[in-house]
Amino acid sequence: MPIESKSTRNVFAFAPFAAAAVFSLALLLAESLYLFAKLPETMHFRRSLADSNVTADSGTEDTEIAQPLAEPIHAVDTQTTTENNRTLRRLNILHFAYLFFFSGMEYTLTFLTHDKFDFSNAQQGALLGFIGVTSTVLQGGWVRRIKGQSAHGDKGLVARGMACCAIGLACVAHCAQGVQGAQPAWTLWGGALGFAVASATVVNCLNSMVSLATTDMETGRRLGDFRAAGQIGRALGPVFACSVYWLLGPSTCYSVGAAAVAAISVAFVTLVPARPAVSSTKKHS
């Protein structure tokens, strides 16, 4: 009976994380509704459906109204298609490899702060909050403004993000060599800054590169393949990182991560062209 009365007074009494989950759900719902109402793509899509329905009811054959989203079909030669397919395969592999190491290293970060530096929940929240807020500010205030202004466009931003991630992991690896229970060096926050820059640039700009390398008819499928590769890496990465962390130690774990991300960034710069061959049919929004 006391349990029932207490749970009646406070729904979240025995589920301390439920409040955060409900709050996150409310934010996601509000964001989804706002995007559906205000995003130009969804507004245009809804207008297109309305125009299509009007055309169908009136029995007209005005193809410009029935299919306003359709763009002229551009003939793409076989060589161009082959080059873009090769580029897309490389982007999928690099996306998988990058998220495999990035997500794994990020997942073990709270292990390091608790096990090595005795961080409280508040301190861990401050560190993760710093990464999240900094990433948001960079993405909205920096990436969105300079994207597409340079000759290398998205590729340059991805390369910078990967380089910052590798440097950040090297900083964390150096910090992990500190004395047990001591205060963390500035390198821990330097590593967090590297994570934030990577979060603001890499995956978002890779998505843009995949979109620009596809035709309108296959954009959805290509983006689906790309994101699926990334999610596989995101799922397997923590298993690998945790195994290395607990078997070989945190310093070795983050050193391996730094070297791997550095190698991935070199492969990306070397193997992926700055602009896809079909970029003339795609435009940055």
Side-chain angles (χ1 to χ4, degrees), residues 239-251:
V239 178
F240 170 80
C242 290
S243 300
V244 176
Y245 183 96
W246 294 114
L247 292 176
L248 302 178
S251 181

Side-chain angles (χ1 to χ4, degrees), residues 70-247:
E71 296 182 359
I73 298 177
H74 296 267
V76 181
D77 56 42
T78 304
Q79 182 179 359
T80 299
T81 302
T82 302
E83 291 176 357
N84 285 325
N85 288 338
R86 186 184 301 114
T87 298
L88 289 170
R89 285 194 298 270
R90 291 173 178 174
L91 286 173
N92 288 346
I93 295 172
L94 291 170
H95 188 216
F96 164 82
Y98 170 76
L99 281 184
F100 179 86
F101 288 100
F102 176 81
S103 64
M105 301 301 121
E106 187 181 44
Y107 188 87
T108 59
L109 189 60
T110 53
F111 296 164
L112 174 69
T113 55
H114 176 75
D115 180 58
K116 193 77 174 178
F117 304 114
D118 296 327
F119 267 29
S120 64
N121 291 338
Q123 289 174 309
Q124 289 188 353
L127 181 65
L128 297 178
F130 170 77
I131 296 174
V133 172
T134 304
S135 174
T136 301
V137 172
L138 287 174
Q139 185 175 344
W142 175 56
V143 175
R144 191 174 67 86
R145 294 178 184 274
I146 71 171
K147 189 176 179 181
Q149 294 182 2
S150 65
H152 297 289
D154 295 306
K155 182 178 179 178
L157 288 172
V158 173
R160 296 175 197 174
M162 288 184 176
C164 288
C165 181
I167 295 172
L169 287 172
C171 289
V172 176
H174 179 270
C175 180
Q177 298 175 356
V179 180
Q180 181 78 23
Q183 289 297 317
W186 64 267
T187 50
L188 177 63
W189 294 94
L193 179 61
F195 285 168
V197 175
S199 298
T201 55
V202 178
V203 175
N204 299 319
C205 295
L206 283 176
N207 271 290
S208 297
M209 294 185 70
V210 171
S211 176
L212 291 171
T214 62
T215 60
D216 293 331
M217 295 300 295
E218 60 178 6
T219 299
R221 180 173 66 85
R222 294 296 191 178
L223 283 174
D225 293 341
F226 173 78
R227 295 193 179 191
Q231 292 308 310
I232 294 174
R234 191 180 292 275
L236 298 178
V239 178
F240 170 80
C242 290
S243 300
V244 176
Y245 183 96
W246 294 114
L247 292 176

Side-chain angles (χ1 to χ4, degrees), residues 26-72:
L27 289 179
L28 288 173
L29 290 175
E31 180 184 22
S32 300
L33 292 174
Y34 176 81
L35 292 176
F36 181 78
K38 299 297 184 179
L39 194 67
E41 288 81 355
T42 57
M43 295 172 63
H44 183 54
F45 175 73
R46 285 184 277 117
R47 286 198 300 268
S48 301
L49 289 180
D51 292 342
S52 298
N53 292 334
V54 171
T55 302
D57 293 338
S58 62
T60 62
E61 297 181 356
D62 189 350
T63 57
E64 292 182 357
I65 299 179
Q67 297 179 344
L69 291 180
E71 296 182 359

